[in-house]
Every structure is written in structure tokens, then in C-alpha cells.
Amino acid sequence: MSLVQCPTPGSSNACHLLDGMPDSAAAAGEDRIGALPDDILRLVLSFLPSRESMCTCVLARRWRNLWKSVPTVLIYDEEEARFVTSLLLLRDRVPLRVFVFTSFLHETPQDVEIWLRYAASCHVRVLQLEVESYDTTARLRLPNMTLVCQHLKTLYICSVKLEERTLDFSSCPVLEKLLMVNCEIHVEKILCQSLRRLVTFMCIFVADARTRISCPSLAALELAQNVGLTPFLESMPSLVTAFVEFDREWSEREELYDHCLDGGYYVGCGEWDCLPCHHIDREGDDCVLLDGLCGATKLTLISAPTMQQPIDRKDETYGPRKQFLVSKNLKVVKIKHRKNDERIHQIVIILVSLGVAPENINCSDCINF
């Protein structure tokens, strides 16, 4: 998942860059590119990896310093930490539109933190940090991910180990998109007042309690193929669309089950030391998901296909301690399930008891879940 796509040498687009040049100009060796304004040349260079952009300094005297004021820093290939540091020191401190760094796990966390702070100091708008490794369990450890950036709008992090107690983006007042892929999340709380879209994909939530997500301005939420304790969602009154997919590899990750192992899937044991029985800090009766999802107009919930628990068909009622206004804005509920899955009957009863109109519940079975 890359936020920035750069043209590669030899691509079809690159082959046609000079198609509009008159034959007479080409024959005479006229430098049509050199005749372009500096701002246009900087825009062209902004699509190149930073090392290639830097190499243009040898083309002519005019190009010597152009790369220093390019509004992007793009590190895709394996680079020594010394080169990255030198690049940032030599570069002019002009505002950054995009900062991309791909780690091959050779640099120290302290180096990466310094580079991120540099990007923030240059008013970066899009920040992308990811790890390139054949080992999907290899992650870059970042003890401190606190950013102070008044202009950051999009943050994408991949294969990073987050160890702060609170992932607080209060100092990023215009941050709208946060995407976390294959991250190991040890934080107790994710806090951002301005966030509009949050995605966690294939992440591991590792904490002594559920991670609280406090993003009241969120309009789109996607929690997909994560493992560990399902995050606790605080109120999200602006939520429009939500996609929540519980761990599909249920049978392979028993130690990360998010249900009571003693009481079963629908019944909890209630013991104080059974963390899945309690929403947070082993106390409280609030629902983990419904408080945050109740404002969504489009809600998709997908559970692991291998969860097989017996259902008492005699129990045709459901009485929650707290009535959730799930149906206030909800227009459609889609339930995808395995054929002849007896749990669907119970799920429909719960949804109806919460105020969802039966005609808004769409159940469909599928073989390939």
C-alpha cells in the first residue's frame, strides 16, 4: 500500500516526454527542458527518488542547487543512514509536500525519529514510513511517535512497533488520514480530534488492556484482519462508514482470542482477571464496539469463519444492560456467513432488539469467506 507512485525509468510515460519537441529543435540540440522555469523543474524532480534527484546537480550550473528545494523527500531503496542524514542537512528547509522513507532495518530508531522530526519541522503534508522485509514479523521499533506538525494531513505507517502509552496527535491539528498496516500496537490510547479516516490492517494489538480509540471527528473506520483484543471505540458521532473484520485465523491464534475462553463465545465467566470479559481495565459494562459504531450509516461486520459455538435456540430474547442507538442512522446491515451457520439467528435477534429494522438486515452465505 503505497501513497505515492513515482514514474520509473523506461516507463511508457517517460518514453513520450519529448514527443512534442519540434524536429528542428532536437536536431539543433536545443535544451528545451532547461528553458523551463525553476518551479516546473522542481515539480519534475519531485517525482524522482531523492538520490536520483540529487544526481541532477551535475547536469549544468543551473541544476546544481535545484534538488535542494524540491518539495519531496522520497527514499525507496536501501540507503545508509549517513546518506539520509546528509541529504536532509544539505537540503533547503522549504516546505515538504511528501516525505517517504522505506526502512530496511539497518538504521537506529533514534535516526528515524530525527528524520521524522525534520519532516515535521518542514511542514510535511503526507508522511509515509514503512519497512521492506521478507519477514512479515520484522518491525521497526519506535518508542516515540509523537509528532508536532501543523500541516500534516496524511500519515501512513507500515511494519512499525509502537510502544508509547498514548498515541497522541493533538499537535497535528489538521491530520485527517491515519493508516497503520502490519503494525505492533502497544499503546493504550489513540487520540486525534481532527482525524476523518482511520485504517488498521493486519495489526497486532498488544496491551494489558484494550486500546481506546478516541477520534470524535472520524467519518470512515476500517479495522481489518487485526489480532489481539478488539480496540474500544469511544463515541464517534460523525461516523458514516465502518468496516470491522475480526481475526480470520481464529483456530491458529488461540492465545489472542478476543472472547472468554472459560465461558464461551456468547457467555463470559465474569472473573476479574479475564480481560476479554471486560471492556477496559477489567471493569465497566460498556460495549467495545457499539458505542463508537452507532452513528454509522453503512456498517460491515465480519467475523472469523471458524468460530463454532453452540447456540441455545430457546433463548429468543436479548436484554442489554444499556440500550445502544444503533439504528439511529444505520441504513443497511450486511451479514456474510457460512452456509447453515446457526449463529446468524442469534445475531439477528440481537440487532432487532437494538432497534435495527428487520428489512435493513441482509444475510448472505458464501463459500469463500
XYZ file of all heavy atoms in Angstrom, residues 264-352:
709
model
N -17.065 -19.252 26.943
C -17.535 -19.452 25.586
C -17.733 -18.133 24.868
O -17.467 -17.062 25.407
N -18.197 -18.213 23.635
C -18.279 -17.025 22.790
C -19.400 -16.083 23.219
O -19.266 -14.874 23.175
C -18.480 -17.464 21.336
C -18.463 -16.314 20.381
C -17.324 -15.514 20.248
C -19.578 -16.012 19.619
C -17.293 -14.451 19.375
C -19.559 -14.941 18.733
C -18.418 -14.167 18.617
O -18.403 -13.113 17.749
N -20.551 -16.613 23.615
C -21.701 -15.775 23.948
C -21.842 -15.538 25.439
O -22.598 -14.688 25.862
C -23.002 -16.400 23.416
C -23.098 -16.349 21.930
C -22.948 -17.498 21.174
C -23.326 -15.148 21.272
C -23.037 -17.447 19.785
C -23.412 -15.079 19.895
C -23.263 -16.243 19.152
O -23.344 -16.198 17.791
N -21.143 -16.310 26.260
C -21.287 -16.190 27.704
C -19.913 -15.971 28.317
O -18.981 -16.703 28.020
C -21.924 -17.469 28.310
C -22.075 -17.300 29.810
C -23.266 -17.765 27.653
N -19.760 -14.954 29.153
C -18.496 -14.687 29.804
C -18.466 -15.240 31.213
O -19.497 -15.457 31.851
N -17.265 -15.478 31.711
C -17.126 -16.003 33.067
C -17.244 -14.889 34.102
O -17.591 -15.130 35.251
C -15.791 -16.727 33.212
S -14.342 -15.647 33.060
N -16.900 -13.629 33.707
C -17.037 -12.502 34.614
C -15.932 -12.370 35.636
O -15.987 -11.492 36.496
N -14.912 -13.221 35.580
C -13.828 -13.139 36.549
C -13.009 -11.870 36.318
O -12.829 -11.419 35.194
C -12.931 -14.378 36.432
C -13.638 -15.692 36.764
C -14.054 -15.753 38.226
O -13.384 -15.093 39.054
O -15.035 -16.447 38.538
N -12.478 -11.311 37.395
C -11.767 -10.037 37.321
C -10.510 -10.128 36.468
O -10.086 -9.161 35.840
C -11.399 -9.553 38.724
C -10.297 -10.377 39.355
C -10.447 -11.498 40.112
C -8.890 -10.142 39.270
N -9.227 -11.988 40.495
C -8.245 -11.170 39.991
C -8.102 -9.179 38.642
C -6.868 -11.263 40.102
C -6.722 -9.265 38.754
C -6.131 -10.292 39.482
N -9.870 -11.316 36.416
C -8.633 -11.463 35.674
C -8.854 -11.947 34.245
O -7.903 -12.282 33.540
C -7.685 -12.418 36.398
C -8.299 -13.796 36.623
O -9.523 -13.941 36.433
O -7.544 -14.714 36.988
N -10.111 -12.002 33.806
C -10.410 -12.406 32.423
C -10.619 -11.130 31.615
O -11.713 -10.566 31.588
C -11.648 -13.304 32.374
S -12.034 -13.877 30.700
N -9.566 -10.669 30.946
C -9.622 -9.391 30.243
C -10.684 -9.349 29.154
O -11.371 -8.327 28.999
C -8.252 -9.063 29.658
C -8.084 -7.683 29.023
C -8.475 -6.585 29.987
C -6.663 -7.493 28.546
N -10.890 -10.406 28.345
C -11.925 -10.320 27.309
C -13.331 -10.099 27.859
O -14.215 -9.669 27.123
C -11.823 -11.684 26.609
C -10.422 -12.116 26.819
C -10.088 -11.640 28.208
N -13.565 -10.397 29.147
C -14.900 -10.220 29.727
C -15.188 -8.770 30.072
O -16.320 -8.417 30.385
C -15.055 -11.073 30.991
S -15.404 -12.813 30.633
N -14.183 -7.916 30.039
C -14.363 -6.525 30.447
C -13.838 -5.611 29.361
O -12.825 -5.892 28.737
C -13.635 -6.250 31.771
C -14.053 -7.183 32.862
N -15.238 -7.061 33.536
C -13.446 -8.290 33.368
C -15.339 -8.038 34.426
N -14.278 -8.785 34.346
N -14.514 -4.500 29.148
C -14.186 -3.657 28.008
C -12.834 -2.986 28.153
O -12.127 -2.763 27.182
C -15.291 -2.617 27.773
C -15.246 -1.446 28.694
N -15.704 -1.499 29.978
C -14.771 -0.188 28.502
C -15.536 -0.308 30.550
N -14.969 0.499 29.680
N -12.452 -2.636 29.357
C -11.187 -1.930 29.554
C -10.810 -1.982 31.033
O -11.651 -1.882 31.918
C -11.294 -0.465 29.077
C -9.904 0.172 28.992
C -12.196 0.358 29.921
C -9.545 0.675 27.658
N -9.534 -2.187 31.281
C -9.024 -2.193 32.651
C -9.793 -3.133 33.567
O -9.922 -2.889 34.764
C -9.051 -0.776 33.253
C -8.080 0.135 32.529
O -7.117 -0.399 31.947
O -8.292 1.345 32.533
N -10.370 -4.194 33.020
C -11.070 -5.215 33.787
C -12.243 -4.668 34.599
O -12.548 -5.142 35.670
C -10.088 -5.945 34.723
C -8.984 -6.685 33.975
C -8.191 -7.568 34.920
N -7.242 -8.375 34.213
C -5.987 -8.019 33.918
N -5.563 -6.840 34.281
N -5.203 -8.842 33.279
N -12.885 -3.633 34.090
C -14.066 -3.133 34.781
C -14.938 -2.381 33.784
O -14.499 -1.965 32.721
C -13.678 -2.206 35.934
C -12.903 -0.975 35.515
C -12.473 -0.137 36.707
O -12.283 -0.700 37.798
O -12.330 1.071 36.524
N -16.213 -2.229 34.121
C -17.133 -1.494 33.255
C -17.993 -2.422 32.435
O -17.645 -3.563 32.166
N -19.140 -1.918 31.990
C -20.090 -2.712 31.235
C -20.329 -2.175 29.825
O -21.187 -2.666 29.116
C -21.447 -2.746 31.977
C -21.316 -3.424 33.332
O -20.610 -4.435 33.395
O -21.922 -2.923 34.297
N -19.600 -1.135 29.409
C -19.835 -0.568 28.092
C -19.481 -1.566 26.998
O -18.610 -2.413 27.157
C -18.988 0.697 27.898
C -19.466 1.813 28.796
O -20.605 1.718 29.281
O -18.698 2.767 29.009
N -20.157 -1.429 25.860
C -19.871 -2.292 24.724
C -18.571 -1.827 24.061
O -18.304 -0.635 23.938
C -21.026 -2.260 23.728
S -20.755 -3.309 22.312
N -17.777 -2.785 23.598
C -16.495 -2.463 22.993
C -16.684 -1.702 21.683
O -15.997 -0.720 21.411
C -15.678 -3.752 22.746
C -14.427 -3.456 21.933
C -15.300 -4.394 24.075
N -17.653 -2.113 20.866
C -17.794 -1.555 19.527
C -18.995 -0.631 19.340
O -18.901 0.390 18.678
C -17.900 -2.690 18.498
C -16.638 -3.530 18.261
C -16.952 -4.692 17.344
C -15.538 -2.677 17.651
N -20.139 -0.988 19.907
C -21.380 -0.332 19.514
C -21.453 1.145 19.885
O -22.090 1.930 19.186
C -22.584 -1.072 20.097
C -22.836 -2.463 19.503
C -24.101 -3.063 20.085
C -22.930 -2.397 17.987
N -20.832 1.546 20.971
C -20.832 2.968 21.313
C -20.223 3.797 20.189
O -20.719 4.870 19.850
C -20.039 3.205 22.599
C -20.957 3.260 23.815
O -22.170 3.381 23.618
O -20.450 3.183 24.944
N -19.142 3.300 19.609
C -18.477 4.043 18.556
C -19.141 3.916 17.210
O -19.073 4.824 16.391
N -19.806 2.764 16.967
C -20.355 2.493 15.639
C -21.804 2.918 15.474
O -22.351 2.822 14.374
C -20.250 0.987 15.335
C -18.844 0.391 15.328
C -18.913 -1.104 15.048
C -17.964 1.081 14.301
N -22.443 3.379 16.541
C -23.886 3.594 16.496
C -24.307 4.685 15.524
O -25.460 4.737 15.112
C -24.425 3.900 17.895
S -23.833 5.454 18.606
N -23.390 5.580 15.135
C -23.767 6.642 14.214
C -23.556 6.316 12.758
O -23.901 7.108 11.889
N -22.979 5.140 12.458
C -22.646 4.804 11.074
C -23.897 4.596 10.236
O -24.890 4.022 10.690
C -21.779 3.547 11.038
N -23.854 5.067 8.987
C -24.956 4.817 8.062
C -24.700 3.564 7.227
O -25.624 3.003 6.658
C -25.150 6.015 7.116
O -23.938 6.247 6.396
C -25.508 7.267 7.906
N -23.431 3.155 7.155
C -23.090 1.912 6.462
C -22.105 1.141 7.329
O -21.003 1.616 7.595
C -22.482 2.195 5.090
C -22.170 0.924 4.296
C -21.628 1.258 2.925
C -21.321 -0.025 2.147
N -20.774 0.278 0.797
N -22.512 -0.033 7.783
C -21.713 -0.801 8.731
C -21.524 -2.217 8.215
O -22.480 -2.899 7.858
C -22.410 -0.834 10.098
C -21.790 -1.719 11.184
C -20.381 -1.245 11.517
C -22.669 -1.705 12.432
N -20.250 -2.649 8.157
C -19.914 -4.011 7.755
C -19.158 -4.679 8.892
O -18.112 -4.189 9.319
C -19.047 -4.017 6.483
O -19.725 -3.326 5.442
C -18.754 -5.453 6.040
N -19.691 -5.795 9.386
C -19.047 -6.580 10.447
C -18.790 -7.981 9.909
O -19.706 -8.654 9.454
C -19.933 -6.654 11.688
C -20.241 -5.338 12.409
C -21.210 -5.582 13.557
C -18.965 -4.690 12.919
N -17.543 -8.414 9.980
C -17.170 -9.754 9.508
C -16.432 -10.458 10.632
O -15.501 -9.913 11.218
C -16.280 -9.690 8.257
C -17.009 -8.956 7.126
C -15.892 -11.081 7.789
C -16.181 -8.812 5.860
N -16.845 -11.694 10.914
C -16.231 -12.473 11.989
C -15.519 -13.684 11.399
O -15.743 -14.069 10.259
C -17.294 -12.923 12.992
O -16.679 -13.553 14.091
N -14.659 -14.271 12.197
C -13.883 -15.425 11.737
C -14.802 -16.584 11.375
O -15.693 -16.931 12.135
C -12.901 -15.863 12.826
N -14.597 -17.235 10.220
C -15.495 -18.304 9.788
C -15.369 -19.572 10.617
O -16.246 -20.415 10.576
C -15.056 -18.556 8.339
C -13.634 -18.136 8.299
C -13.531 -16.967 9.244
N -14.269 -19.714 11.359
C -14.069 -20.942 12.122
C -14.566 -20.854 13.547
O -14.371 -21.772 14.333
C -12.573 -21.306 12.145
O -11.825 -20.165 12.564
C -12.110 -21.719 10.756
N -15.199 -19.731 13.940
C -15.788 -19.647 15.273
C -17.030 -20.528 15.319
O -18.042 -20.222 14.704
C -16.203 -18.212 15.594
C -15.086 -17.225 15.709
S -15.759 -15.635 16.192
C -14.444 -14.550 15.741
N -16.960 -21.608 16.015
C -18.104 -22.504 16.099
C -18.475 -22.711 17.564
O -17.760 -23.367 18.312
C -17.779 -23.864 15.439
C -17.524 -23.770 13.946
C -18.754 -23.329 13.180
O -19.871 -23.538 13.619
N -18.553 -22.723 12.021
N -19.571 -22.098 17.965
C -20.025 -22.209 19.334
C -21.506 -22.580 19.334
O -22.279 -22.105 18.503
C -19.841 -20.889 20.089
C -18.383 -20.483 20.270
C -17.639 -21.392 21.195
O -18.226 -22.058 22.037
N -16.329 -21.450 21.040
N -21.938 -23.459 20.233
C -23.350 -23.836 20.265
C -24.223 -22.670 20.696
O -23.817 -21.820 21.479
C -23.380 -24.953 21.308
C -22.203 -24.696 22.182
C -21.146 -24.124 21.285
N -25.459 -22.624 20.147
C -26.418 -21.571 20.479
C -27.671 -22.207 21.050
O -28.182 -23.186 20.516
C -26.788 -20.752 19.228
C -25.539 -20.037 18.706
C -27.896 -19.772 19.513
C -25.782 -19.257 17.441
N -28.136 -21.657 22.136
C -29.369 -22.142 22.740
C -30.541 -21.530 21.997
O -30.869 -20.363 22.158
C -29.407 -21.754 24.236
C -30.648 -22.321 24.928
O -31.422 -23.025 24.263
O -30.814 -22.032 26.129
N -31.201 -22.293 21.148
C -32.286 -21.774 20.315
C -33.515 -21.416 21.135
O -34.424 -20.767 20.646
C -32.663 -22.817 19.249
C -31.533 -23.136 18.295
C -31.027 -21.877 17.598
N -32.054 -21.305 16.755
C -32.221 -21.640 15.483
N -31.426 -22.517 14.921
N -33.191 -21.084 14.776
N -33.560 -21.833 22.402
C -34.698 -21.489 23.244
C -34.637 -20.025 23.694
O -35.644 -19.442 24.064
C -34.740 -22.402 24.480
C -34.977 -23.881 24.124
C -35.003 -24.710 25.384
C -35.214 -26.195 25.064
N -35.237 -27.032 26.283
N -33.425 -19.490 23.671
C -33.264 -18.110 24.124
C -33.559 -17.165 22.959
O -32.731 -16.947 22.093
C -31.824 -17.881 24.627
C -31.640 -16.481 25.175
O -32.647 -15.769 25.313
O -30.484 -16.123 25.445
N -34.778 -16.610 22.928
C -35.195 -15.775 21.817
C -35.176 -14.293 22.190
O -35.743 -13.479 21.492
C -36.610 -16.168 21.361
C -36.701 -17.600 20.866
C -35.934 -17.792 19.554
O -35.986 -16.887 18.702
O -35.282 -18.825 19.400
N -34.560 -13.941 23.299
C -34.526 -12.543 23.720
C -33.098 -12.133 24.014
O -32.215 -12.966 24.243
C -35.376 -12.330 24.982
O -34.835 -13.122 26.057
C -36.818 -12.731 24.735
N -32.907 -10.854 23.994
C -31.603 -10.307 24.336
C -31.836 -9.004 25.084
O -32.484 -8.093 24.572
C -30.771 -10.045 23.081
C -29.453 -9.363 23.363
C -28.407 -10.053 23.976
C -29.264 -8.019 23.031
C -27.209 -9.427 24.237
C -28.067 -7.392 23.292
C -27.037 -8.106 23.897
O -25.845 -7.484 24.162
N -31.331 -8.926 26.293
C -31.574 -7.740 27.099
C -30.291 -7.067 27.513
O -29.739 -7.377 28.559
N -29.748 -6.162 26.697
C -28.514 -5.469 27.070
C -28.735 -4.550 28.254
O -29.817 -4.001 28.434
C -28.176 -4.663 25.799
C -29.494 -4.453 25.132
C -30.315 -5.680 25.443
N -27.701 -4.396 29.048
C -27.797 -3.514 30.210
C -27.954 -2.056 29.771
O -28.507 -1.243 30.465
C -26.537 -3.649 31.071
C -26.367 -5.039 31.681
C -25.170 -5.052 32.618
N -24.942 -6.373 33.171
C -23.969 -6.647 34.045
N -23.166 -5.686 34.449
N -23.817 -7.868 34.500
N -27.426 -1.764 28.603
C -27.502 -0.396 28.103
C -28.029 -0.429 26.674
O -27.540 -1.173 25.850
C -26.105 0.235 28.131
C -26.064 1.684 27.631
C -24.640 2.203 27.731
C -24.536 3.625 27.231
N -23.164 4.136 27.307
N -29.075 0.363 26.409
C -29.666 0.370 25.073
C -28.829 1.257 24.152
O -28.655 2.443 24.396
C -31.093 0.907 25.132
C -31.821 0.835 23.798
C -32.098 -0.604 23.390
O -32.314 -1.449 24.244
N -32.087 -0.843 22.104
N -28.285 0.687 23.087
C -27.473 1.432 22.140
C -28.332 1.870 20.963
O -29.131 1.095 20.446
C -26.305 0.578 21.640
C -25.363 0.181 22.728
C -25.467 -1.072 23.333
C -24.398 1.054 23.174
C -24.597 -1.429 24.343
C -23.532 0.694 24.180
C -23.630 -0.549 24.774
N -28.163 3.116 20.538
C -28.971 3.645 19.439
C -28.322 3.282 18.106
O -27.950 4.139 17.308
C -29.100 5.161 19.589
C -29.750 5.626 20.894
C -29.772 7.149 20.942
C -31.158 5.063 21.034
N -28.167 1.972 17.861
C -27.512 1.518 16.651
C -28.298 1.929 15.416
O -27.748 2.219 14.373
C -27.348 -0.022 16.681
C -26.687 -0.512 15.411
C -26.542 -0.430 17.891
N -29.606 1.970 15.513
C -30.438 2.194 14.336
C -30.690 3.662 14.052
O -31.426 3.990 13.131
C -31.786 1.490 14.524
O -32.468 2.032 15.637
N -30.095 4.560 14.805
C -30.378 5.983 14.627
C -30.084 6.428 13.200
O -30.875 7.146 12.580
C -29.551 6.796 15.626
C -29.799 8.299 15.531
C -28.965 9.029 16.572
C -29.198 10.521 16.493
N -28.385 11.250 17.484
N -28.933 6.034 12.655
C -28.565 6.422 11.305
C -28.307 5.230 10.392
O -28.118 5.415 9.189
C -27.294 7.291 11.327
C -27.500 8.588 12.083
O -28.433 9.320 11.820
N -26.638 8.849 13.051
N -28.306 4.030 10.951
C -27.943 2.845 10.185
C -28.989 2.547 9.126
O -30.176 2.431 9.413
C -27.785 1.648 11.122
C -27.075 0.428 10.550
C -25.660 0.788 10.136
C -27.049 -0.686 11.577
N -28.538 2.417 7.873
C -29.442 2.145 6.768
C -29.408 0.681 6.338
O -30.444 0.117 5.976
C -29.073 3.026 5.562
C -29.043 4.523 5.869
C -30.393 5.039 6.344
C -30.338 6.540 6.609
N -31.598 7.064 7.153
N -28.222 0.081 6.360
C -28.076 -1.281 5.857
C -27.156 -2.076 6.776
O -26.124 -1.573 7.219
C -27.489 -1.288 4.424
C -27.284 -2.714 3.934
C -28.400 -0.538 3.470
N -27.554 -3.311 7.080
C -26.703 -4.251 7.800
C -26.512 -5.469 6.903
O -27.485 -6.136 6.532
C -27.317 -4.689 9.141
C -26.418 -5.729 9.811
C -27.501 -3.499 10.057
N -25.269 -5.737 6.526
C -24.972 -6.902 5.708
C -24.222 -7.928 6.549
O -23.219 -7.602 7.181
C -24.125 -6.508 4.496
C -24.848 -5.612 3.505
C -23.964 -5.319 2.298
C -24.698 -4.436 1.296
N -23.838 -4.131 0.113
N -24.723 -9.158 6.554
C -24.089 -10.234 7.314
C -23.686 -11.331 6.334
O -24.537 -11.952 5.693
C -25.036 -10.814 8.385
C -25.539 -9.708 9.320
C -24.333 -11.907 9.171
C -26.565 -10.181 10.329
N -22.372 -11.549 6.199
C -21.875 -12.638 5.376
C -21.488 -13.800 6.285
O -20.806 -13.603 7.283
C -20.669 -12.182 4.550
C -20.997 -11.110 3.528
C -19.768 -10.741 2.710
C -20.107 -9.687 1.674
N -18.922 -9.323 0.852
N -21.930 -14.983 5.945
C -21.710 -16.107 6.855
C -21.574 -17.395 6.060
O -21.893 -17.472 4.864
C -22.879 -16.220 7.839
C -24.207 -16.396 7.156
N -24.713 -17.635 6.833
C -25.111 -15.477 6.718
C -25.883 -17.479 6.232
N -26.156 -16.183 6.145
N -21.117 -18.413 6.749
C -21.038 -19.735 6.142
C -22.435 -20.326 6.035
O -23.332 -20.011 6.816
C -20.138 -20.645 6.978
C -18.712 -20.138 7.083
C -17.860 -21.027 7.954
N -17.606 -22.308 7.293
C -16.871 -23.269 7.847
N -16.351 -23.098 9.044
N -16.664 -24.391 7.210
N -22.613 -21.206 5.087
C -23.910 -21.816 4.869
C -24.337 -22.611 6.097
O -23.546 -23.307 6.726
C -23.862 -22.735 3.642
C -25.228 -23.180 3.154
C -25.110 -23.937 1.843
C -26.483 -24.313 1.319
N -26.379 -25.038 0.017
N -25.603 -22.439 6.479
C -26.197 -23.147 7.627
C -25.520 -22.771 8.950
O -25.459 -23.597 9.873
C -26.137 -24.663 7.427
C -26.905 -25.111 6.197
O -27.950 -24.547 5.879
N -26.378 -26.112 5.490
N -25.022 -21.561 9.059
C -24.403 -21.104 10.311
C -25.519 -20.740 11.290
O -26.263 -19.779 11.087
C -23.515 -19.887 10.043
C -22.645 -19.523 11.237
O -23.022 -19.878 12.370
O -21.601 -18.888 11.036
N -25.643 -21.483 12.356
C -26.731 -21.289 13.309
C -26.601 -19.999 14.109
O -27.570 -19.532 14.714
C -26.803 -22.488 14.262
C -27.197 -23.792 13.576
C -27.366 -24.916 14.578
O -26.920 -24.725 15.732
O -27.936 -25.945 14.217
N -25.437 -19.397 14.118
C -25.250 -18.178 14.908
C -26.006 -16.987 14.330
O -26.283 -16.021 15.033
C -23.764 -17.821 14.984
C -22.910 -18.860 15.664
C -21.452 -18.503 15.531
N -21.089 -18.406 14.127
C -19.998 -17.753 13.685
N -19.232 -17.141 14.542
N -19.709 -17.718 12.401
N -26.321 -17.048 13.043
C -26.960 -15.909 12.389
C -28.306 -15.592 13.035
O -28.675 -14.425 13.196
C -27.133 -16.191 10.882
C -25.752 -16.460 10.261
C -27.806 -15.024 10.187
C -24.740 -15.367 10.517
N -29.043 -16.633 13.418
C -30.336 -16.432 14.064
C -30.183 -15.579 15.315
O -30.948 -14.627 15.553
C -30.951 -17.790 14.410
C -32.246 -17.701 15.168
N -33.437 -17.341 14.566
C -32.525 -17.901 16.476
C -34.388 -17.345 15.470
N -33.868 -17.678 16.639
N -29.164 -15.880 16.126
C -28.928 -15.142 17.360
C -28.499 -13.709 17.061
O -28.927 -12.765 17.729
C -27.850 -15.848 18.193
C -27.557 -15.200 19.539
C -28.623 -15.495 20.565
O -29.526 -16.275 20.307
N -28.507 -14.868 21.718
N -27.681 -13.536 16.046
C -27.200 -12.195 15.702
C -28.363 -11.312 15.262
O -28.456 -10.138 15.644
C -26.126 -12.290 14.607
C -24.867 -12.969 15.172
C -25.788 -10.910 14.055
C -23.815 -13.264 14.140
N -29.268 -11.862 14.467
C -30.421 -11.092 14.003
C -31.297 -10.679 15.181
O -31.791 -9.551 15.247
C -31.232 -11.900 12.970
C -32.548 -11.194 12.652
C -30.415 -12.102 11.706
N -31.483 -11.599 16.146
C -32.273 -11.280 17.331
C -31.660 -10.102 18.083
O -32.355 -9.173 18.515
C -32.372 -12.511 18.257
C -33.221 -13.599 17.594
C -32.964 -12.135 19.613
C -33.251 -14.891 18.373
N -30.322 -10.106 18.220
C -29.642 -9.026 18.927
C -29.817 -7.710 18.189
O -30.127 -6.664 18.791
C -28.147 -9.362 19.093
C -27.972 -10.570 20.032
C -27.367 -8.152 19.617
C -26.547 -11.047 20.141
N -29.654 -7.723 16.861
C -29.778 -6.500 16.079
C -31.186 -5.920 16.167
O -31.370 -4.711 16.338
C -29.402 -6.771 14.623
C -27.918 -7.017 14.340
C -27.719 -7.463 12.900
C -27.098 -5.777 14.627
N -32.195 -6.795 16.071
C -33.576 -6.335 16.150
C -33.867 -5.757 17.523
O -34.545 -4.736 17.677
C -34.551 -7.480 15.809
C -35.988 -7.061 16.081
C -34.393 -7.883 14.353
